[in-house]
Amino acid sequence: MNRVYVCSCFGITEQQVKEHADAGACTPRQIASASKAGTDCGSCVRSIQALLGRGTCPRRELLEQGKPAAALTATPELTEAAQAA
């Protein structure tokens, strides 16, 4: 398996960032909360932003509809993904 590291400080791979994003993390800050990536030297934050892109984000979609995004903060998928990291 070819691993491409995004965050060398904590050994976080592109695949892990994508898994956290699939589980609902939509911003670099949310990725950091789930995996610690971007919380040490910060050099990976732009790479994380690039991986996240401007794709769909359940929280962003709720906000655009005028609904509270807090309802999605503790999804089981995001909790499991954070524990697996």
Side-chain angles (χ1 to χ4, degrees):
M1 175 189 275
N2 187 10
R3 293 185 181 187
V4 177
Y5 288 94
V6 174
C7 176
S8 57
C9 295
F10 293 104
I12 305 300
T13 64
E14 281 187 3
Q15 184 60 38
Q16 288 172 304
V17 171
K18 290 175 184 178
E19 288 170 3
H20 289 302
D22 289 344
C26 304
T27 66
R29 184 169 287 176
Q30 291 168 346
I31 295 293
S33 293
S35 68
K36 295 187 185 179
T39 61
D40 195 22
C41 77
S43 66
C44 61
V45 173
R46 289 189 184 223
S47 297
I48 292 169
Q49 288 173 327
L51 286 171
L52 294 175
R54 298 293 295 167
T56 61
C57 176
R59 288 184 183 93
R60 189 178 310 126
E61 291 170 5
L62 283 176
L63 289 172
E64 288 172 357
Q65 295 170 7
K67 298 178 183 174
L72 294 175
T73 56
T75 62
E77 297 84 10
L78 187 57
T79 303
E80 290 172 10
Q83 291 172 350

